[in-house]
Protein backbone atom coordinates (compact mmCIF):
# COMPACT_ATOMS: atom_id res chain seq x y z
CA UNK A 1 0.00 0.00 0.00
CA UNK A 2 1.25 3.46 -0.72
CA UNK A 3 -0.90 6.38 0.32
CA UNK A 4 -0.24 7.80 3.74
CA UNK A 5 -3.57 9.46 4.54
CA UNK A 6 -6.03 8.15 7.05
CA UNK A 7 -8.76 5.88 5.74
CA UNK A 8 -11.74 7.91 6.87
CA UNK A 9 -13.89 8.46 3.80
CA UNK A 10 -14.71 11.88 2.40
CA UNK A 11 -17.11 12.90 -0.36
CA UNK A 12 -14.69 13.79 -3.13
CA UNK A 13 -15.51 15.42 -6.44
CA UNK A 14 -13.09 15.50 -9.30
CA UNK A 15 -12.78 17.73 -12.31
CA UNK A 16 -11.03 16.62 -15.49
CA UNK A 17 -11.41 18.25 -18.88
CA UNK A 18 -9.94 16.14 -21.72
CA UNK A 19 -9.76 19.35 -23.79
CA UNK A 20 -6.59 20.23 -21.89
CA UNK A 21 -4.63 17.18 -23.03
CA UNK A 22 -3.76 18.57 -26.44
CA UNK A 23 -2.64 22.01 -25.27
CA UNK A 24 0.95 22.63 -26.28
CA UNK A 25 3.13 25.46 -24.94
CA UNK A 26 5.46 24.85 -27.88
CA UNK A 27 8.37 22.61 -28.68
CA UNK A 28 10.94 22.45 -25.90
CA UNK A 29 8.73 24.13 -23.31
CA UNK A 30 8.91 22.55 -19.87
CA UNK A 31 5.21 23.03 -19.03
CA UNK A 32 3.31 20.05 -20.47
CA UNK A 33 -0.46 20.13 -19.82
CA UNK A 34 -0.64 16.50 -21.01
CA UNK A 35 0.77 15.46 -17.59
CA UNK A 36 -2.76 16.08 -16.22
CA UNK A 37 -4.09 13.52 -18.71
CA UNK A 38 -1.39 11.08 -17.60
CA UNK A 39 -2.45 11.63 -13.97
CA UNK A 40 -6.08 11.09 -15.00
CA UNK A 41 -5.22 7.86 -16.82
CA UNK A 42 -3.51 6.55 -13.68
CA UNK A 43 -6.47 7.61 -11.52
CA UNK A 44 -8.73 5.68 -13.92
CA UNK A 45 -6.41 2.64 -14.01
CA UNK A 46 -6.48 2.42 -10.20
CA UNK A 47 -10.28 2.51 -10.32
CA UNK A 48 -10.44 5.72 -8.30
CA UNK A 49 -13.07 7.33 -10.53
CA UNK A 50 -15.64 5.02 -8.96
CA UNK A 51 -14.99 6.62 -5.55
CA UNK A 52 -15.55 10.19 -6.69
CA UNK A 53 -18.24 12.33 -8.21
CA UNK A 54 -17.12 13.55 -11.61
CA UNK A 55 -17.72 17.25 -12.19
CA UNK A 56 -18.74 18.33 -15.66
CA UNK A 57 -18.65 22.06 -16.07
CA UNK A 58 -18.45 24.89 -18.50
CA UNK A 59 -15.21 26.78 -19.12
CA UNK A 60 -14.98 30.05 -17.15
CA UNK A 61 -16.49 32.99 -19.00
CA UNK A 62 -14.81 36.26 -19.93
CA UNK A 63 -16.95 38.02 -17.31
CA UNK A 64 -15.87 35.59 -14.60
CA UNK A 65 -12.21 36.05 -15.48
CA UNK A 66 -12.65 39.84 -15.51
CA UNK A 67 -13.57 39.59 -11.81
CA UNK A 68 -9.93 38.88 -10.98
CA UNK A 69 -8.07 40.38 -13.96
CA UNK A 70 -8.05 43.75 -15.72
CA UNK A 71 -10.76 43.82 -18.39
CA UNK A 72 -8.37 44.84 -21.15
CA UNK A 73 -5.92 42.06 -20.24
CA UNK A 74 -8.71 39.48 -20.44
CA UNK A 75 -9.91 40.91 -23.77
CA UNK A 76 -6.37 40.76 -25.07
CA UNK A 77 -5.93 37.14 -23.99
CA UNK A 78 -9.23 36.33 -25.68
CA UNK A 79 -8.08 37.72 -29.01
CA UNK A 80 -4.48 36.55 -28.86
CA UNK A 81 -3.43 33.76 -31.24
CA UNK A 82 -0.05 33.04 -32.82
CA UNK A 83 -1.56 34.64 -35.91
CA UNK A 84 -2.83 37.90 -34.41
CA UNK A 85 0.36 38.15 -32.35
CA UNK A 86 2.57 38.13 -35.44
CA UNK A 87 0.78 41.19 -36.82
CA UNK A 88 2.98 43.95 -35.47
CA UNK A 89 0.42 46.64 -36.22
CA UNK A 90 -0.20 48.33 -32.88
CA UNK A 91 -3.39 46.29 -32.60
CA UNK A 92 -4.47 43.58 -30.23
CA UNK A 93 -1.49 41.31 -30.74
CA UNK A 94 1.18 43.95 -31.00
CA UNK A 95 4.51 42.68 -29.74
CA UNK A 96 5.13 45.69 -27.49
CA UNK A 97 1.71 45.18 -25.90
CA UNK A 98 2.57 41.49 -25.61
CA UNK A 99 5.68 42.30 -23.64
CA UNK A 100 3.63 44.53 -21.35
CA UNK A 101 1.28 41.70 -20.46
CA UNK A 102 4.08 39.19 -20.11
CA UNK A 103 3.51 37.07 -23.19
CA UNK A 104 5.78 36.64 -26.18
CA UNK A 105 5.82 34.85 -29.51
CA UNK A 106 6.12 31.12 -29.48
CA UNK A 107 9.81 30.92 -30.29
CA UNK A 108 10.60 28.28 -27.72
CA UNK A 109 12.58 30.38 -25.27
CA UNK A 110 10.02 32.33 -23.26
CA UNK A 111 8.07 31.48 -20.12
CA UNK A 112 4.67 32.60 -21.45
CA UNK A 113 4.39 31.92 -25.16
CA UNK A 114 1.36 32.69 -27.30
CA UNK A 115 0.12 29.30 -28.52
CA UNK A 116 -2.94 27.86 -30.27
CA UNK A 117 -6.11 27.69 -28.16
CA UNK A 118 -4.50 29.68 -25.32
CA UNK A 119 -7.77 31.42 -24.42
CA UNK A 120 -9.70 28.15 -24.46
CA UNK A 121 -7.05 26.56 -22.21
CA UNK A 122 -7.29 29.42 -19.68
CA UNK A 123 -11.09 29.19 -19.62
CA UNK A 124 -11.01 25.43 -19.10
CA UNK A 125 -8.52 25.22 -16.25
CA UNK A 126 -10.12 28.13 -14.44
CA UNK A 127 -13.62 26.77 -15.08
CA UNK A 128 -12.48 23.61 -13.30
CA UNK A 129 -11.26 25.45 -10.21
CA UNK A 130 -14.40 27.57 -10.12
CA UNK A 131 -16.64 24.50 -10.35
CA UNK A 132 -14.60 22.75 -7.67
CA UNK A 133 -15.01 25.76 -5.35
CA UNK A 134 -18.77 25.74 -6.02
CA UNK A 135 -18.97 22.04 -5.10
CA UNK A 136 -17.55 22.97 -1.68
CA UNK A 137 -19.79 26.01 -1.29
CA UNK A 138 -22.92 23.97 -2.01
CA UNK A 139 -21.86 21.40 0.58
CA UNK A 140 -22.09 18.65 -2.05
CA UNK A 141 -18.49 17.62 -1.43
CA UNK A 142 -15.90 17.61 1.34
CA UNK A 143 -12.93 17.65 -1.04
CA UNK A 144 -12.84 18.98 -4.61
CA UNK A 145 -9.96 18.35 -7.05
CA UNK A 146 -8.75 20.13 -10.19
CA UNK A 147 -5.24 19.02 -11.15
CA UNK A 148 -5.21 21.33 -14.20
CA UNK A 149 -5.48 24.41 -11.97
CA UNK A 150 -3.05 25.98 -9.52
CA UNK A 151 -1.58 28.69 -11.75
CA UNK A 152 -0.35 30.81 -8.87
CA UNK A 153 1.87 33.39 -10.64
CA UNK A 154 -0.73 35.06 -12.91
CA UNK A 155 -1.26 38.73 -11.96
CA UNK A 156 -4.20 41.13 -12.50
CA UNK A 157 -2.82 42.61 -15.68
CA UNK A 158 -0.12 40.23 -16.86
CA UNK A 159 0.99 36.66 -17.39
CA UNK A 160 3.96 35.34 -15.43
CA UNK A 161 5.81 32.06 -14.88
CA UNK A 162 3.78 29.85 -17.31
CA UNK A 163 0.52 31.21 -15.78
CA UNK A 164 -1.93 33.40 -17.72
CA UNK A 165 -5.08 33.41 -15.62
CA UNK A 166 -5.11 32.97 -11.84
CA UNK A 167 -7.69 30.24 -11.26
CA UNK A 168 -6.74 30.13 -7.56
CA UNK A 169 -7.74 33.73 -6.95
CA UNK A 170 -10.97 33.04 -8.84
CA UNK A 171 -11.73 29.97 -6.71
CA UNK A 172 -10.89 31.70 -3.41
CA UNK A 173 -13.19 34.60 -4.30
CA UNK A 174 -15.96 32.09 -4.88
CA UNK A 175 -15.28 30.46 -1.49
CA UNK A 176 -15.35 33.89 0.21
CA UNK A 177 -18.99 34.22 -0.83
CA UNK A 178 -19.79 31.51 1.67
CA UNK A 179 -16.88 30.97 4.08
CA UNK A 180 -15.71 33.66 6.50
CA UNK A 181 -12.00 32.80 6.34
CA UNK A 182 -10.14 30.86 3.63
CA UNK A 183 -6.63 29.45 4.09
CA UNK A 184 -4.38 29.10 1.03
CA UNK A 185 -1.41 26.73 1.26
CA UNK A 186 1.15 26.38 -1.55
CA UNK A 187 3.65 23.49 -1.69
CA UNK A 188 4.78 24.17 -5.27
CA UNK A 189 8.58 24.66 -5.26
CA UNK A 190 7.99 28.27 -6.37
CA UNK A 191 6.67 31.16 -4.26
CA UNK A 192 2.89 31.63 -4.67
CA UNK A 193 3.35 35.33 -5.37
CA UNK A 194 0.23 36.00 -7.49
CA UNK A 195 -2.16 34.67 -4.85
CA UNK A 196 -0.33 36.40 -1.99
CA UNK A 197 -0.48 39.70 -3.89
CA UNK A 198 -4.17 39.38 -4.78
CA UNK A 199 -5.19 39.05 -1.13
CA UNK A 200 -2.56 41.14 0.63
CA UNK A 201 -5.23 43.65 1.67
CA UNK A 202 -7.62 41.02 3.05
CA UNK A 203 -7.62 39.47 6.50
CA UNK A 204 -10.22 36.91 5.37
CA UNK A 205 -7.61 35.08 3.30
CA UNK A 206 -4.34 33.85 4.72
CA UNK A 207 -1.67 32.69 2.26
CA UNK A 208 1.16 30.33 3.22
CA UNK A 209 3.85 29.28 0.74
CA UNK A 210 6.70 26.81 1.16
CA UNK A 211 9.29 27.24 -1.60
CA UNK A 212 12.87 27.04 -2.74
CA UNK A 213 14.51 30.39 -2.14
CA UNK A 214 17.92 31.93 -2.80
CA UNK A 215 20.46 31.94 -5.62
CA UNK A 216 18.04 33.85 -7.86
CA UNK A 217 15.47 31.05 -7.84
CA UNK A 218 12.24 32.23 -9.55
CA UNK A 219 10.39 34.47 -8.68
CA UNK A 220 12.98 35.65 -6.10
CA UNK A 221 10.27 36.82 -3.66
CA UNK A 222 8.97 35.09 -0.53
CA UNK A 223 11.65 35.59 2.08
CA UNK A 224 10.65 34.79 5.64
CA UNK A 225 10.06 38.37 6.79
CA UNK A 226 8.64 39.69 3.53
CA UNK A 227 5.03 39.47 4.63
CA UNK A 228 5.58 40.24 8.31
CA UNK A 229 2.55 42.32 9.19
CA UNK A 230 0.25 40.94 6.52
CA UNK A 231 -2.00 37.94 6.66
CA UNK A 232 0.54 35.75 4.89
CA UNK A 233 3.49 33.55 5.74
CA UNK A 234 6.48 32.47 3.69
CA UNK A 235 8.72 29.50 4.41
CA UNK A 236 11.89 29.77 2.29
CA UNK A 237 13.90 26.56 1.81
CA UNK A 238 17.33 25.75 0.44
CA UNK A 239 18.01 23.06 -2.15
CA UNK A 240 17.74 19.39 -1.29
CA UNK A 241 15.32 19.40 1.64
CA UNK A 242 13.92 15.89 2.23
CA UNK A 243 10.69 14.41 3.63
CA UNK A 244 11.52 14.46 7.34
CA UNK A 245 12.81 18.02 7.48
CA UNK A 246 9.94 19.29 5.32
CA UNK A 247 7.43 17.58 7.57
CA UNK A 248 9.18 19.02 10.63
CA UNK A 249 8.38 22.47 9.25
CA UNK A 250 5.02 21.82 7.60
CA UNK A 251 3.19 20.15 10.47
CA UNK A 252 4.01 22.46 13.40
CA UNK A 253 3.66 25.58 11.23
CA UNK A 254 0.32 24.51 9.72
CA UNK A 255 -1.01 23.34 13.09
CA UNK A 256 -0.30 26.83 14.48
CA UNK A 257 -1.80 28.49 11.39
CA UNK A 258 -5.02 26.50 11.97
CA UNK A 259 -5.07 27.63 15.59
CA UNK A 260 -4.53 31.33 15.00
CA UNK A 261 -6.41 31.78 11.72
CA UNK A 262 -9.30 29.32 12.24
CA UNK A 263 -10.18 28.93 8.54
CA UNK A 264 -13.56 27.66 7.38
CA UNK A 265 -12.13 26.28 4.11
CA UNK A 266 -8.67 25.33 2.83
CA UNK A 267 -7.16 25.57 -0.66
CA UNK A 268 -4.01 23.52 -1.25
CA UNK A 269 -1.88 24.13 -4.35
CA UNK A 270 -0.08 20.81 -4.87
CA UNK A 271 2.62 21.82 -7.36
CA UNK A 272 4.63 18.64 -7.98
CA UNK A 273 7.88 20.45 -8.79
CA UNK A 274 8.84 20.15 -5.12
CA UNK A 275 9.40 16.41 -5.77
CA UNK A 276 12.84 14.87 -6.00
CA UNK A 277 14.11 14.71 -9.58
CA UNK A 278 12.04 17.60 -10.93
CA UNK A 279 13.46 19.33 -14.03
CA UNK A 280 13.17 22.79 -12.42
CA UNK A 281 12.85 22.30 -8.66
CA UNK A 282 15.82 21.18 -6.59
CA UNK A 283 14.09 19.80 -3.50
CA UNK A 284 14.15 16.17 -2.51
CA UNK A 285 10.62 15.13 -1.52
CA UNK A 286 9.27 11.66 -2.25
CA UNK A 287 5.63 11.02 -3.20
CA UNK A 288 4.98 10.23 0.46
CA UNK A 289 6.61 13.42 1.74
CA UNK A 290 4.52 15.44 -0.71
CA UNK A 291 1.28 13.55 0.01
CA UNK A 292 1.81 13.98 3.75
CA UNK A 293 0.94 17.66 3.26
CA UNK A 294 -2.38 16.64 1.72
CA UNK A 295 -3.20 14.12 4.41
CA UNK A 296 -2.16 16.48 7.22
CA UNK A 297 -4.42 19.30 6.00
CA UNK A 298 -7.21 16.80 5.25
CA UNK A 299 -7.12 15.65 8.87
CA UNK A 300 -8.54 19.03 9.99
CA UNK A 301 -11.81 18.02 8.35
CA UNK A 302 -12.53 21.33 6.65
CA UNK A 303 -13.80 21.79 3.08
CA UNK A 304 -10.66 21.24 1.01
CA UNK A 305 -9.85 22.32 -2.55
CA UNK A 306 -6.90 20.49 -4.14
CA UNK A 307 -5.25 22.12 -7.15
CA UNK A 308 -2.26 21.24 -9.34
CA UNK A 309 0.50 23.67 -10.30
CA UNK A 310 4.07 23.10 -11.38
CA UNK A 311 5.69 19.74 -12.04
CA UNK A 312 8.17 19.19 -14.85
CA UNK A 313 9.19 15.52 -14.73
CA UNK A 314 5.86 14.41 -16.06
CA UNK A 315 5.72 10.76 -14.99
CA UNK A 316 6.51 11.88 -11.43
CA UNK A 317 3.73 14.47 -11.62
CA UNK A 318 1.20 11.89 -12.77
CA UNK A 319 2.21 9.49 -9.96
CA UNK A 320 2.05 12.31 -7.42
CA UNK A 321 -1.44 13.54 -8.27
CA UNK A 322 -2.83 10.02 -8.62
CA UNK A 323 -1.46 9.13 -5.19
CA UNK A 324 -2.94 12.32 -3.73
CA UNK A 325 -6.31 11.57 -5.30
CA UNK A 326 -6.22 8.27 -3.36
CA UNK A 327 -5.24 10.14 -0.18
CA UNK A 328 -8.20 12.50 -0.70
CA UNK A 329 -10.59 9.56 -1.00
CA UNK A 330 -8.98 7.76 1.94
CA UNK A 331 -8.04 4.68 -0.06
CA UNK A 332 -4.85 2.66 0.01
CA UNK A 333 -3.55 1.82 -3.47
CA UNK A 334 -0.85 -0.68 -4.41
CA UNK A 335 2.53 0.37 -5.75
CA UNK A 336 2.13 -1.82 -8.84
CA UNK A 337 0.44 0.20 -11.57
CA UNK A 338 -2.59 -1.76 -12.84
CA UNK A 339 -3.00 -2.29 -16.60
CA UNK A 340 0.45 -0.94 -17.36
CA UNK A 341 0.98 -3.12 -20.40
CA UNK A 342 1.13 -0.30 -22.92
CA UNK A 343 2.24 2.64 -20.84
CA UNK A 344 5.91 3.01 -21.67
CA UNK A 345 6.16 6.15 -19.57
CA UNK A 346 6.41 4.02 -16.44
CA UNK A 347 9.04 1.67 -17.80
CA UNK A 348 11.77 3.66 -16.02
CA UNK A 349 9.77 3.32 -12.81
CA UNK A 350 9.48 -0.42 -13.32
CA UNK A 351 5.71 0.11 -13.61
CA UNK A 352 5.62 1.21 -9.98
CA UNK A 353 3.75 4.29 -8.72
CA UNK A 354 6.60 5.28 -6.40
CA UNK A 355 9.97 6.05 -7.94
CA UNK A 356 13.47 6.17 -6.52
CA UNK A 357 16.29 8.37 -7.70
CA UNK A 358 19.93 7.48 -7.81
CA UNK A 359 21.28 11.02 -7.72
CA UNK A 360 19.49 13.87 -6.01
CA UNK A 361 20.45 17.38 -4.96
CA UNK A 362 22.75 17.84 -1.99
CA UNK A 363 20.92 19.06 1.07
CA UNK A 364 21.85 22.71 1.65
CA UNK A 365 19.59 22.91 4.73
CA UNK A 366 21.11 22.23 8.12
CA UNK A 367 19.43 21.24 11.37
CA UNK A 368 20.10 24.78 12.52
CA UNK A 369 18.75 26.52 9.40
CA UNK A 370 15.56 24.42 9.60
CA UNK A 371 15.15 25.16 13.28
CA UNK A 372 15.72 28.87 12.62
CA UNK A 373 13.03 29.00 9.94
CA UNK A 374 10.57 27.12 12.15
CA UNK A 375 11.18 29.55 15.04
CA UNK A 376 10.85 32.62 12.82
CA UNK A 377 7.69 31.30 11.14
CA UNK A 378 6.04 30.54 14.48
CA UNK A 379 7.07 33.97 15.75
CA UNK A 380 5.60 35.64 12.64
CA UNK A 381 2.36 33.78 13.36
CA UNK A 382 2.15 35.19 16.85
CA UNK A 383 2.15 38.74 15.45
CA UNK A 384 -0.19 38.04 12.56
CA UNK A 385 -2.47 40.91 11.59
CA UNK A 386 -5.97 39.42 11.75
O1 LIG B 1 5.34 27.84 -10.20
O2 LIG B 1 13.34 32.13 -14.20
C1 LIG B 1 12.49 32.53 -14.97
C2 LIG B 1 12.69 33.80 -15.79
C3 LIG B 1 13.65 33.86 -16.80
C4 LIG B 1 14.55 32.68 -17.08
C5 LIG B 1 13.93 31.77 -18.15
N1 LIG B 1 13.67 32.53 -19.40
C6 LIG B 1 13.05 31.62 -20.37
C7 LIG B 1 12.79 33.68 -19.15
C8 LIG B 1 13.38 34.61 -18.07
C9 LIG B 1 13.84 34.64 -15.61
N2 LIG B 1 11.34 31.88 -15.13
C10 LIG B 1 11.02 30.65 -14.45
C11 LIG B 1 9.52 30.48 -14.39
C12 LIG B 1 9.12 29.33 -13.55
C13 LIG B 1 7.62 29.20 -13.50
C14 LIG B 1 7.13 28.15 -12.54
C15 LIG B 1 5.64 27.99 -12.60
C16 LIG B 1 5.06 27.23 -11.42
O3 LIG B 1 5.61 25.93 -11.33
C17 LIG B 1 3.53 27.14 -11.52
C18 LIG B 1 3.01 26.50 -12.75
C19 LIG B 1 11.67 29.53 -15.15
N3 LIG B 1 12.41 28.60 -14.56
C20 LIG B 1 12.79 27.74 -15.54
C21 LIG B 1 12.26 28.21 -16.71
N4 LIG B 1 11.60 29.32 -16.46
C22 LIG B 1 12.39 27.61 -18.03
C23 LIG B 1 13.24 26.53 -18.25
C24 LIG B 1 13.33 25.96 -19.54
C25 LIG B 1 12.57 26.49 -20.56
C26 LIG B 1 12.43 26.10 -21.99
C27 LIG B 1 10.97 26.46 -22.20
C28 LIG B 1 11.05 27.86 -21.63
C29 LIG B 1 12.10 28.41 -22.57
C30 LIG B 1 13.05 27.22 -22.82
C31 LIG B 1 11.75 27.55 -20.34
C32 LIG B 1 11.65 28.13 -19.09
CA1 LIG C 1 5.15 27.35 -2.90
ZN1 LIG D 1 6.46 25.78 -9.55
Amino acid sequence: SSSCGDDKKRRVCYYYDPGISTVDYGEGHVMVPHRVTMAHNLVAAYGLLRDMRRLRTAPATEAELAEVHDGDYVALLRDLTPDTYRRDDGGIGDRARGREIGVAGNNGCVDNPVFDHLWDYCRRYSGGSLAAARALVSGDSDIAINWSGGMHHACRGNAKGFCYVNDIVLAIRELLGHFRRVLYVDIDVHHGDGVEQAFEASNRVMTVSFHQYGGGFFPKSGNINDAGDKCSLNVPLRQGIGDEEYRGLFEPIMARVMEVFQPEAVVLQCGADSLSGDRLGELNLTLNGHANCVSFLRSFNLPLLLLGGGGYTINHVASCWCNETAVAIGKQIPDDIPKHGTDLFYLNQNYKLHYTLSNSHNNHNTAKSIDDIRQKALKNLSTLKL
Side-chain angles (χ1 to χ4, degrees), residues 209-278:
S209 175
F210 295 77
H211 45 261
Q212 184 174 334
Y213 182 84
F217 195 73
F218 186 86
K220 301 186 187 164
S221 52
N223 202 357
I224 184 114
N225 295 318
D226 274 5
D229 60 341
K230 302 196 192 90
C231 206
S232 62
L233 180 69
N234 286 307
V235 186
L237 309 163
R238 300 287 176 205
Q239 286 147 266
I241 192 172
D243 290 351
E244 281 320 304
E245 285 167 313
Y246 196 97
R247 181 189 194 134
L249 288 171
F250 192 84
E251 292 192 355
I253 290 171
M254 292 319 303
R256 185 71 60 84
V257 164
M258 290 293 185
E259 255 171 48
V260 298
F261 186 63
Q262 304 256 319
E264 292 183 357
V266 180
V267 177
L268 176 57
Q269 196 269 21
C270 300
D273 47 7
S274 42
L275 289 172
S276 185
D278 188 77

Side-chain angles (χ1 to χ4, degrees), residues 186-188 190 209-211:
D186 186 315
I187 60 171
D188 188 288
H190 299 98
S209 175
F210 295 77
H211 45 261

Side-chain angles (χ1 to χ4, degrees), residues 145-350:
I145 300 176
N146 175 26
W147 296 130
S148 63
M151 306 305 272
H152 59 178
H153 299 304
C155 303
R156 259 202 96 76
N158 61 281
K160 181 177 179 183
F162 316 157
C163 309
Y164 300 84
V165 157
N166 203 314
D167 61 296
I168 309 171
V169 175
L170 197 65
I172 292 176
R173 271 183 54 100
E174 191 73 16
L175 294 172
L176 287 173
H178 185 75
F179 300 108
R180 186 62 213 157
R181 281 175 306 282
V182 176
L183 171 64
Y184 173 69
V185 187
D186 186 315
I187 60 171
D188 188 288
V189 76
H190 299 98
H191 176 222
D193 54 355
V195 185
E196 179 182 296
Q197 221 175 74
F199 296 109
E200 64 189 355
S202 171
N203 58 2
R204 291 180 61 202
V205 178
M206 178 169 183
T207 61
V208 183
S209 175
F210 295 77
H211 45 261
Q212 184 174 334
Y213 182 84
F217 195 73
F218 186 86
K220 301 186 187 164
S221 52
N223 202 357
I224 184 114
N225 295 318
D226 274 5
D229 60 341
K230 302 196 192 90
C231 206
S232 62
L233 180 69
N234 286 307
V235 186
L237 309 163
R238 300 287 176 205
Q239 286 147 266
I241 192 172
D243 290 351
E244 281 320 304
E245 285 167 313
Y246 196 97
R247 181 189 194 134
L249 288 171
F250 192 84
E251 292 192 355
I253 290 171
M254 292 319 303
R256 185 71 60 84
V257 164
M258 290 293 185
E259 255 171 48
V260 298
F261 186 63
Q262 304 256 319
E264 292 183 357
V266 180
V267 177
L268 176 57
Q269 196 269 21
C270 300
D273 47 7
S274 42
L275 289 172
S276 185
D278 188 77
R279 279 178 77 188
L280 297 193
E282 297 168 323
L283 307 189
N284 212 4
L285 298 184
T286 69
L287 290 196
N288 285 332
H290 199 271
N292 179 62
C293 301
V294 178
S295 80
F296 187 72
L297 291 180
R298 180 185 186 272
S299 72
F300 289 87
N301 239 322
L302 294 164
L304 178 61
L305 175 54
L306 298 180
L307 302 173
Y312 306 98
T313 302
I314 57 181
N315 50 318
H316 296 174
V317 180
S319 285
C320 178
W321 291 342
C322 172
N323 184 48
E324 289 168 7
T325 303
V327 169
I329 295 165
K331 195 172 185 172
Q332 304 283 322
I333 54 173
D335 194 22
D336 284 303
I337 297 174
K339 297 188 258 174
H340 61 243
T342 54
D343 210 331
L344 289 174
F345 257 115
Y346 295 95
L347 186 59
N348 61 1
Q349 279 177 219
N350 233 335

